[in-house]
Amino acid sequence: MTEVDIDEIGFAGIGLMGGPMSRRLAASRKLVAWNRTAAKASELAAAAPEGAVRVAAAPKELAACDVVLLMLIDDAAAHDVLLGPEGVFAVDERPKIVVNMSTIGILAAETLRAACEERGVAYLSSPVSGSTAYAADGQLTIIASGPPEAVEAVTPLLDELGKQTLVVGTGTQANLAKLCVNLIIGATNQALAESLAMGLKGGIDEETLLGVLESSVIVSPWLRYKVRQLIDHDFTPGHTLHGLNKDWWLMEEASRVLEAPLPVTALVHQKIRAAVGHGHGELDMIAVLKDAYRAAGLDG
């Protein structure tokens, strides 16, 4: 691979995670930024150092950058940004590397990788694990897979966004690994809601029980940064239930393609879908607590 310029990069997706990630990069680099809701890209430009961010009217304007980062909501959005009529590949100019940090399905990842390779563009699957706070602090865990020379070329960018980059293969294996992570998080999320409901019904207040859980063998970074939200019933979204529901559909797709049954995951999906159906989709994923409490006859 020829030398790659990472001083100016294209960035698509200024949402819950893409917002803090792009702000970190704009502090030290120039960005050509696009977002479906243009106001978010304009807000990024206004908050960044003068001249650091140029707002793109369409994803195709990102093609002039050597590296394009994607942090998008789903398979369809990633497909449109790269392959749509106004997408990155709608013009003759080509980036050298596409770094897709979105959580997408294993089939979509393969489609996008093939589309990039057909055009002589290296494709990295690089989804992230961590909250919006971790994104703001540059403490994400990045799961990466793709051509080793492309991983090496963008490592300085990844180092600004995360505390570690875990390389899991040379193809799109990172997308499957991310689904495996989210499977555990979502199942834990549901189990935690049910645990709190049972404890509260039996007379143990939430703060006390969460203190016990934090001191037990099941403690995790995820639990620690959710504790205060759970105590306060603060459902400000880090990862929404709509987003979690999308992840579960991707897990079901992977389960079908790989012929790897996920019976417990399927049950958890029903609880996630119920919470979305009850109007909690825009709330944080811990809002499954509301349904668990109501099922136990408690005020959710």
Side-chain angles (χ1 to χ4, degrees):
M1 177 176 291
T2 58
E3 186 175 347
V4 176
D5 179 10
I6 58 173
D7 290 330
E8 181 178 67
I9 62 172
F11 198 107
I14 319 295
L16 276 175
M17 294 294 287
M21 291 166 66
S22 58
R23 286 192 291 273
R24 281 193 64 82
L25 293 176
S28 58
R29 304 176 191 279
K30 292 186 177 181
L31 270 62
V32 181
W34 177 85
N35 192 71
R36 193 175 301 278
T37 304
K40 291 184 179 180
S42 297
E43 291 169 4
L44 171 66
E50 186 175 357
V53 177
R54 177 170 69 83
V55 176
K60 62 186 179 183
E61 295 181 29
L62 279 54
C65 301
D66 278 359
V67 178
V68 173
L69 267 62
L70 311 180
M71 178 50 79
L72 302 162
I73 185 61
D74 56 22
D75 296 6
H79 185 278
D80 287 349
V81 166
L82 284 184
L83 299 171
E86 295 292 305
V88 172
F89 293 150
V91 294
D92 292 334
E93 205 162 14
R94 296 280 185 265
K96 294 176 181 174
I97 305 174
V98 169
V99 184
N100 193 349
M101 309 189 82
S102 319
T103 297
I104 62 172
I106 61 174
L107 296 180
E110 280 297 315
T111 297
L112 296 179
R113 182 190 64 79
C116 286
E117 289 188 353
E118 287 172 6
R119 294 163 174 82
V121 177
Y123 180 86
L124 296 187
S125 293
S126 300
V128 305
S129 179
S131 67
T132 50
Y134 279 36
D137 293 340
Q139 292 297 301
L140 295 168
T141 295
I142 299 170
I143 310 167
S145 61
E149 63 274 16
V151 175
E152 182 179 359
V154 301
T155 291
L157 293 178
L158 302 182
D159 286 347
E160 289 186 28
L161 297 171
K163 62 182 179 180
Q164 60 182 337
T165 297
L166 306 174
V167 179
V168 298
T170 58
T172 60
Q173 297 93 334
N175 294 104
L176 180 59
K178 175 60 189 299
L179 294 180
C180 291
V181 170
N182 281 17
L183 185 157
I184 300 295
I185 290 174
T188 302
N189 186 57
Q190 181 63 35
L192 182 59
E194 294 176 14
S195 173
L196 290 173
M198 183 170 67
L200 188 59
K201 190 73 179 283
I204 308 174
D205 69 81
E206 294 159 315
E207 190 161 5
T208 298
L209 182 52
L210 284 164
V212 171
L213 296 175
E214 270 197 290
S215 300
S216 75
V217 294
I218 63 95
V219 69
S220 66
W222 179 82
L223 175 59
R224 285 199 171 113
Y225 71 66
K226 287 296 186 185
V227 163
R228 181 44 56 185
Q229 274 190 280
L230 287 160
I231 292 170
D232 295 341
H233 288 206
D234 175 7
F235 302 116
T236 303
H239 189 43
T240 66
L241 275 169
H242 275 314
L244 192 63
N245 189 36
K246 177 266 297 184
D247 295 345
W248 246 249
W249 285 118
L250 298 180
M251 290 172 205
E252 292 198 9
E253 174 190 76
S255 172
R256 184 182 70 252
V257 171
L258 299 172
E259 297 183 343
L262 302 176
V264 173
T265 302
L267 289 173
V268 172
H269 194 188
Q270 295 302 314
K271 302 302 293 183
I272 295 167
R273 292 169 65 185
V276 171
H278 293 154
H280 308 322
E282 296 300 328
L283 302 180
D284 189 83
M285 62 188 292
I286 64 168
V288 294
L289 189 69
K290 289 176 171 285
D291 281 7
Y293 276 25
R294 286 171 183 160
L298 301 166
D299 183 5

